[in-house]
Amino acid sequence: MELNIKQIVEELGLDEPMKEIQFIQTKHRMKLAHFWDIKKGDNVLEIGCGQGDMTAVLAACVGESGAVDAIDKAKPDYGSPLTLGQAMDKIKATKLGEQIHVEFDQDILLDDVHFPRNMYDQIVFSHSSWYMASEAEVFELFKKLRPLGKRLCFAEWSTHIEEMVQYPHLLAAMIQSQYEAYKKSSQANIRTLLTPEKIISLANLAGWEIAHKTIIHSLDLQDGQWEVQYVCEDFEKQMNAINDMPDKVKENLRAQWQILKTCHENMNQIIKPLPVFAFTAE
C-alpha cells in the first residue's frame, strides 16, 4: 500500500510541503478503498468528489480497465487555494486521469438527470454527506442511486469521539451545522451533521442493506485542526450574515465558540480528527 500511495502522490506533481499533506490524505483514502474492496476493472460513481483526493485513489484502484465517474454539485470555481476545477485538472493531466470523467455543477437529483440501471459496480460517498443541505437530501440521493449500482461504499466522520483531543473537531462541526441551518443557500463544507445511526437509517429506508461496517482511524489527518481554525476565525463573519437567528440561539452559539477558541489556544498542536465511520451496502 505504501508504494501505491507514493506513486499516486508523485503523479500529482506537488511541491514538498503540499506533498507531505497529500500523502497523509491519500493514505487515509487508500484505507477506505481497501475496506470497500475497490477492484481492478470496477466501474465507479463517486458522489461529491470535491478536489479529487478520493477520485485519484479510486482511479488507481480500478486501473486502466476500470472507470471513475466523479460528480459534484459545486461549481468548478469553488474552493481555495486551488478551486475544484484546478485541482481536478491536475489529476486529469496525469496517467490516472485517463480513467476519470468529471462533472461539476451537477445535481443528480434533478428530474432530467438519468443513469442506466446497474451501470456501476460501486457507488462511493467519501466525506461528502455532511456537505448535503439536509437529511432529506441524503435520503433522496441514496434512493435515486439504489437501482444504479451493485454496492454503496460510504465514509464520513463519526460523531462518536474516542479521545478528548477529538472533541474540538466535533464541536467545530456542531457549530457550523447550527448556523448553517439558518441559511437559505450555502456551499459550506459542513451543512448537515449526521450521526452513524442516522446514516444507516437513511440508507436502509432507501433500500440499501448494510453488508459490512467499521471505524477507521487516521489520527495524522489534518482535518480536525483545519475545521477548528476555520470556525475560530470565520465565526463572526458567518453570524453577521444571518438576520433571523433568535437571540438565545446566538448566545448559545457564542458560548460554544468561546469553548472552541479555548480549545484552539490550549490544544491546537494535539487536536486530532474524529474517527471515520465506513460501511458497504448492497
Side-chain angles (χ1 to χ4, degrees), residues 27-77:
K27 181 172 67 172
H28 169 62
R29 285 158 177 83
M30 285 294 286
K31 291 180 186 178
L32 297 178
H34 178 72
F35 168 70
W36 291 331
D37 195 25
I38 306 295
K39 301 185 187 71
K40 294 286 185 187
D42 275 352
N43 194 19
V44 177
L45 173 64
E46 183 188 8
I47 304 298
C49 59
Q51 293 188 324
D53 291 337
M54 190 75 237
T55 314
V57 170
L58 293 171
C61 290
V62 304
E64 295 178 0
S65 59
V68 179
D69 287 344
I71 292 176
D72 201 297
K73 65 189 301 184
K75 296 182 183 298
D77 59 357

Side-chain angles (χ1 to χ4, degrees), residues 49-50 70-76 84-85 88 102-106:
C49 59
I71 292 176
D72 201 297
K73 65 189 301 184
K75 296 182 183 298
L84 301 188
M88 196 63 83
V102 183
E103 286 194 39
F104 290 115
D105 198 15
Q106 175 68 275

Side-chain angles (χ1 to χ4, degrees), residues 21 38 56 65 69 77 88 93 108 131 134 149-150 158 164 173 180 184 223 226 228 230 234 236 240 244 250 260:
I21 292 172
I38 306 295
S65 59
D69 287 344
D77 59 357
M88 196 63 83
I108 68 170
Y131 175 78
S134 64
K150 301 173 184 175
S158 171
M164 280 307 297
E180 284 295 322
K184 292 181 173 59
D223 299 65
W226 290 341
V228 169
Y230 169 74
D234 206 57
E236 291 286 8
N240 290 336
D244 57 349
K250 290 181 181 179
L260 186 66

